[in-house]
Amino acid sequence: GKLESRRLAIPSFNAVSIFNCIGYACADASLSSVLMNVSANLIPSGVFVFDFLNTIAAASKLRVAETTTAEKDGYQLHRATFKSFDGISCLLKYDMLYNVLQCGAPCNSWREEHLVRCFTVPEVREAVLAAGMTPTFHSWRGGKAEGDDFYILCRAAKQ
């Protein structure tokens, strides 16, 4: 089910969401509705820890293209990633092309497109507070979140 409306059969829990799941979930849903649902499923003094892409860094530090290669047991995987950022919708688009070679000969290829929503710290703060939780923000490098951090961690504690 979708994160903005899914109710769980278990009573409640603490939660951790990594790898920018919030950004993927909010590409087609509102951050407020997702956080309200998470809050509803937390234990009374529960904590939700998640990471998100910072709009400011996405707009200013984006590497438009990059390639990656990995090798194992005679196979090579080549990934070319092209990124674009829409400042109006705050959506970051990843267009990825994968090519697999076996002993130097092409054997498979595919393409993936990912849309990820980016957020500002004030936007996340407002949505977390509206969901009845108190936010604290941290840099993925440790310490306090900085305005130009690409990834920011948020610890949202239920009030």
Side-chain angles (χ1 to χ4, degrees), residues 119-131:
F119 302 98
T120 63
V121 169
E123 182 179 16
V124 173
R125 179 180 292 113
E126 183 179 312
V128 168
L129 289 169

PDB file of all heavy atoms in Angstrom, residues 119-131:
ATOM      1  N   PHE A 119      13.219  18.277  -0.486  1.00  0.00           N
ATOM      2  CA  PHE A 119      12.551  19.136   0.494  1.00  0.00           C
ATOM      3  C   PHE A 119      13.532  20.126   1.098  1.00  0.00           C
ATOM      4  O   PHE A 119      14.721  19.870   1.160  1.00  0.00           O
ATOM      5  CB  PHE A 119      11.967  18.296   1.642  1.00  0.00           C
ATOM      6  CG  PHE A 119      10.998  17.253   1.200  1.00  0.00           C
ATOM      7  CD1 PHE A 119      11.394  15.945   1.030  1.00  0.00           C
ATOM      8  CD2 PHE A 119       9.677  17.591   0.921  1.00  0.00           C
ATOM      9  CE1 PHE A 119      10.502  14.985   0.608  1.00  0.00           C
ATOM     10  CE2 PHE A 119       8.771  16.630   0.499  1.00  0.00           C
ATOM     11  CZ  PHE A 119       9.188  15.324   0.338  1.00  0.00           C
ATOM     12  N   THR A 120      13.002  21.239   1.594  1.00  0.00           N
ATOM     13  CA  THR A 120      13.802  22.166   2.391  1.00  0.00           C
ATOM     14  C   THR A 120      13.608  21.792   3.857  1.00  0.00           C
ATOM     15  O   THR A 120      12.610  21.166   4.225  1.00  0.00           O
ATOM     16  CB  THR A 120      13.372  23.630   2.183  1.00  0.00           C
ATOM     17  OG1 THR A 120      12.020  23.774   2.632  1.00  0.00           O
ATOM     18  CG2 THR A 120      13.490  24.040   0.722  1.00  0.00           C
ATOM     19  N   VAL A 121      14.550  22.190   4.702  1.00  0.00           N
ATOM     20  CA  VAL A 121      14.422  21.922   6.141  1.00  0.00           C
ATOM     21  C   VAL A 121      13.151  22.575   6.707  1.00  0.00           C
ATOM     22  O   VAL A 121      12.401  21.918   7.432  1.00  0.00           O
ATOM     23  CB  VAL A 121      15.690  22.359   6.908  1.00  0.00           C
ATOM     24  CG1 VAL A 121      15.469  22.327   8.415  1.00  0.00           C
ATOM     25  CG2 VAL A 121      16.871  21.467   6.525  1.00  0.00           C
ATOM     26  N   PRO A 122      12.837  23.846   6.379  1.00  0.00           N
ATOM     27  CA  PRO A 122      11.594  24.430   6.907  1.00  0.00           C
ATOM     28  C   PRO A 122      10.340  23.665   6.466  1.00  0.00           C
ATOM     29  O   PRO A 122       9.394  23.515   7.242  1.00  0.00           O
ATOM     30  CB  PRO A 122      11.591  25.851   6.337  1.00  0.00           C
ATOM     31  CG  PRO A 122      13.026  26.171   6.104  1.00  0.00           C
ATOM     32  CD  PRO A 122      13.653  24.868   5.680  1.00  0.00           C
ATOM     33  N   GLU A 123      10.332  23.172   5.248  1.00  0.00           N
ATOM     34  CA  GLU A 123       9.189  22.400   4.742  1.00  0.00           C
ATOM     35  C   GLU A 123       9.011  21.097   5.539  1.00  0.00           C
ATOM     36  O   GLU A 123       7.901  20.741   5.931  1.00  0.00           O
ATOM     37  CB  GLU A 123       9.447  22.092   3.268  1.00  0.00           C
ATOM     38  CG  GLU A 123       8.383  21.350   2.546  1.00  0.00           C
ATOM     39  CD  GLU A 123       8.753  21.120   1.085  1.00  0.00           C
ATOM     40  OE1 GLU A 123       9.929  21.249   0.686  1.00  0.00           O
ATOM     41  OE2 GLU A 123       7.825  20.791   0.340  1.00  0.00           O
ATOM     42  N   VAL A 124      10.117  20.412   5.805  1.00  0.00           N
ATOM     43  CA  VAL A 124      10.050  19.166   6.585  1.00  0.00           C
ATOM     44  C   VAL A 124       9.658  19.479   8.026  1.00  0.00           C
ATOM     45  O   VAL A 124       8.823  18.791   8.621  1.00  0.00           O
ATOM     46  CB  VAL A 124      11.384  18.393   6.521  1.00  0.00           C
ATOM     47  CG1 VAL A 124      11.380  17.202   7.470  1.00  0.00           C
ATOM     48  CG2 VAL A 124      11.657  17.928   5.089  1.00  0.00           C
ATOM     49  N   ARG A 125      10.256  20.534   8.601  1.00  0.00           N
ATOM     50  CA  ARG A 125       9.932  20.921   9.978  1.00  0.00           C
ATOM     51  C   ARG A 125       8.426  21.155  10.126  1.00  0.00           C
ATOM     52  O   ARG A 125       7.790  20.637  11.052  1.00  0.00           O
ATOM     53  CB  ARG A 125      10.698  22.177  10.390  1.00  0.00           C
ATOM     54  CG  ARG A 125      10.370  22.630  11.831  1.00  0.00           C
ATOM     55  CD  ARG A 125      11.127  23.884  12.238  1.00  0.00           C
ATOM     56  NE  ARG A 125      12.550  23.582  12.351  1.00  0.00           N
ATOM     57  CZ  ARG A 125      13.506  24.070  11.556  1.00  0.00           C
ATOM     58  NH1 ARG A 125      13.192  24.917  10.579  1.00  0.00           N
ATOM     59  NH2 ARG A 125      14.760  23.740  11.728  1.00  0.00           N
ATOM     60  N   GLU A 126       7.839  21.908   9.216  1.00  0.00           N
ATOM     61  CA  GLU A 126       6.409  22.221   9.268  1.00  0.00           C
ATOM     62  C   GLU A 126       5.551  20.951   9.166  1.00  0.00           C
ATOM     63  O   GLU A 126       4.597  20.776   9.924  1.00  0.00           O
ATOM     64  CB  GLU A 126       6.067  23.170   8.127  1.00  0.00           C
ATOM     65  CG  GLU A 126       4.621  23.614   8.115  1.00  0.00           C
ATOM     66  CD  GLU A 126       4.355  24.578   6.967  1.00  0.00           C
ATOM     67  OE1 GLU A 126       5.131  25.532   6.783  1.00  0.00           O
ATOM     68  OE2 GLU A 126       3.347  24.362   6.267  1.00  0.00           O
ATOM     69  N   ALA A 127       5.904  20.045   8.269  1.00  0.00           N
ATOM     70  CA  ALA A 127       5.134  18.812   8.096  1.00  0.00           C
ATOM     71  C   ALA A 127       5.272  17.884   9.306  1.00  0.00           C
ATOM     72  O   ALA A 127       4.304  17.256   9.732  1.00  0.00           O
ATOM     73  CB  ALA A 127       5.561  18.090   6.820  1.00  0.00           C
ATOM     74  N   VAL A 128       6.477  17.807   9.885  1.00  0.00           N
ATOM     75  CA  VAL A 128       6.703  16.969  11.070  1.00  0.00           C
ATOM     76  C   VAL A 128       5.905  17.511  12.252  1.00  0.00           C
ATOM     77  O   VAL A 128       5.230  16.761  12.967  1.00  0.00           O
ATOM     78  CB  VAL A 128       8.216  16.874  11.401  1.00  0.00           C
ATOM     79  CG1 VAL A 128       8.441  16.259  12.778  1.00  0.00           C
ATOM     80  CG2 VAL A 128       8.950  16.070  10.333  1.00  0.00           C
ATOM     81  N   LEU A 129       5.948  18.825  12.454  1.00  0.00           N
ATOM     82  CA  LEU A 129       5.181  19.435  13.550  1.00  0.00           C
ATOM     83  C   LEU A 129       3.682  19.238  13.349  1.00  0.00           C
ATOM     84  O   LEU A 129       2.959  18.930  14.304  1.00  0.00           O
ATOM     85  CB  LEU A 129       5.516  20.926  13.660  1.00  0.00           C
ATOM     86  CG  LEU A 129       6.911  21.258  14.198  1.00  0.00           C
ATOM     87  CD1 LEU A 129       7.228  22.738  14.004  1.00  0.00           C
ATOM     88  CD2 LEU A 129       7.050  20.845  15.658  1.00  0.00           C
ATOM     89  N   ALA A 130       3.187  19.376  12.119  1.00  0.00           N
ATOM     90  CA  ALA A 130       1.760  19.177  11.830  1.00  0.00           C
ATOM     91  C   ALA A 130       1.329  17.741  12.096  1.00  0.00           C
ATOM     92  O   ALA A 130       0.162  17.481  12.399  1.00  0.00           O
ATOM     93  CB  ALA A 130       1.459  19.558  10.381  1.00  0.00           C
ATOM     94  N   ALA A 131       2.278  16.795  12.018  1.00  0.00           N
ATOM     95  CA  ALA A 131       1.973  15.382  12.280  1.00  0.00           C
ATOM     96  C   ALA A 131       2.080  15.047  13.766  1.00  0.00           C
ATOM     97  O   ALA A 131       1.957  13.889  14.152  1.00  0.00           O
ATOM     98  CB  ALA A 131       2.911  14.497  11.468  1.00  0.00           C
TER      99      ALA A 131
END
